[in-house]
Amino acid sequence: MTTVLIIEDDNKIAELLQKHLEKYGYCVKRVVDFSRVMESFQQAQPKLVLLDVNLPKYDGYYWCRQIRKESLCPILFISARSEQMDQVMALENGADDYITKPFNYEVVTAKIRSQLRRVYGDYAQTANERVLDLQGLKLYIERMEVSYGENKTMVSKKEAILLEALMKHFPKVVGRDDLLEKLWDDETFVDENTLNVNVTRVRKRLKEIGIENGIETVRGAGYRMTPRWGGAGDNETLY
């Protein structure tokens, strides 16, 4: 089932959107705490985001930029602000489309379908898509998606970077310093705890698709994949 995340502080509009989309079989999640938008996004792992401009704390342009740091999923703005500059700012900050209020719910649904087809379905550009395959575990780098057998889930940008590094270097251990360097962002400092958090998240993503013990901690060295999917996992190897 396709998950859509609604980031809209008008409860009536959000509720009507949710009910309408659920009629078409979408799994709809709504942000309720606007100080924890990214936490809601990471928990929901949506295929598409509906995002308002006027929000508490920070505006939609800010949250669009934050989401773009982690995901390439389609982002559709829904806003009462109809000035051309508002639409330009939305697109400049990473949005895929802009819908002005009041809107027709069928039009919103059609635009959602169109974006999902473009990114994941019939119109997705897969000819040059990079795919890593390690004993059945597949990482679709451009899509930021991992699969194992019939199971699949989305990963964040940092999770994809970590998993790509570990899969490419198998069976070698990838050092913590090397992983920290790959996670470096010009805007934020990535410390040791951030690495630990992201490794934990990757393990959780792997567990979601049926891989219980996918990453081994090598104390004093770093991490490596355990592609028999029944190895050490969270256990530590002492070197």
Side-chain angles (χ1 to χ4, degrees), residues 70-180:
E70 298 198 5
S71 175
L72 296 175
C73 75
I75 299 175
L76 278 66
F77 269 89
I78 47 172
S79 175
R81 292 163 65 165
S82 58
E83 295 295 326
Q84 288 186 348
M85 187 51 63
D86 292 312
Q87 300 181 42
V88 169
M89 287 183 63
L91 297 173
E92 291 278 342
N93 281 281
D96 296 280
D97 204 346
Y98 193 99
I99 305 169
T100 56
K101 301 175 183 175
F103 48 76
N104 181 288
Y105 288 93
E106 294 298 336
V107 171
V108 174
T109 304
K111 285 180 175 287
I112 289 173
R113 287 173 174 163
S114 175
Q115 290 294 334
L116 292 173
R117 286 197 303 268
R118 178 182 64 81
V119 177
Y120 309 108
D122 299 338
Y123 308 145
Q125 298 179 354
T126 59
N128 298 315
E129 185 175 22
R130 294 180 297 154
V131 182
L132 292 178
D133 188 335
L134 182 60
Q135 295 190 14
L137 170 64
K138 294 182 179 180
L139 170 63
Y140 299 88
I141 298 170
E142 279 77 19
R143 283 189 248 169
M144 289 195 288
E145 179 181 284
V146 290
S147 69
Y148 182 60
E150 298 297 320
N151 302 318
K152 61 183 178 180
T153 190
M154 300 296 291
V155 293
S156 71
K157 181 178 179 181
K158 287 184 172 60
E159 292 165 2
I161 290 171
L162 278 175
L163 196 52
E164 179 181 3
L166 293 170
M167 292 175 71
K168 279 185 173 179
H169 287 83
F170 173 79
K172 298 179 181 178
V173 175
V174 184
R176 293 182 63 86
D177 289 342
D178 292 333
L179 291 174
L180 281 168

Side-chain angles (χ1 to χ4, degrees), residues 201-229:
R201 287 176 177 168
V202 173
R203 284 173 169 151
K204 181 180 178 181
R205 300 289 171 248
L206 294 178
K207 188 174 182 180
E208 288 174 5
I209 58 175
I211 295 176
E212 292 286 344
N213 299 299
I215 300 175
E216 177 183 8
T217 301
V218 182
R219 187 186 295 181
Y223 301 93
R224 67 181 169 198
M225 301 297 294
T226 56
R228 293 187 181 278
W229 316 136

Side-chain angles (χ1 to χ4, degrees), residues 183-203:
L183 285 174
W184 184 267
D185 188 311
D186 290 338
E187 298 182 16
T188 57
F189 176 74
V190 181
D191 59 19
E192 290 280 330
N193 186 59
T194 300
L195 177 58
N196 296 337
V197 168
N198 279 278
V199 170
T200 298
R201 287 176 177 168
V202 173
R203 284 173 169 151

